[in-house]
Amino acid sequence: MKNKYSIKYLCFLVLLVSTLSITTANAQIVFPDDVDDETPAAPIDGFVGLGIAAGIYFGIRKRTSHKE
């Protein structure tokens, strides 16, 4: 049985994917110097622990409610 993908096709695909990912990684936004990036716009620290605890609780509750 002949292989569905040839070596040339796979090399081309790897080259294409690596080229596209490199150009995407280099496209970074540059902000001017007058931008205040020290103070966060929306602090995310209040309910993170509560949300994780609620997710663990509901996950365990759902897992234990399916008794076989």
Side-chain angles (χ1 to χ4, degrees):
M1 183 173 174
K2 190 174 180 179
N3 194 0
K4 186 176 179 182
Y5 301 105
S6 67
I7 299 295
K8 289 181 183 179
Y9 178 72
L10 286 175
C11 288
F12 174 73
L13 188 63
V14 167
L15 182 69
L16 181 69
V17 169
S18 64
T19 304
L20 291 176
S21 65
I22 289 171
T23 57
T24 304
N26 288 332
Q28 299 295 323
I29 299 172
V30 179
F31 291 110
D33 290 335
D34 62 343
V35 174
D36 181 25
D37 57 354
E38 295 298 321
T39 58
I44 305 172
D45 58 358
F47 292 107
V48 173
L50 184 62
I52 290 172
I56 290 172
Y57 169 74
F58 286 121
I60 291 173
R61 186 172 135 197
K62 184 175 182 177
R63 180 110 178 173
T64 57
S65 69
H66 290 115
K67 295 179 182 176
E68 294 180 17

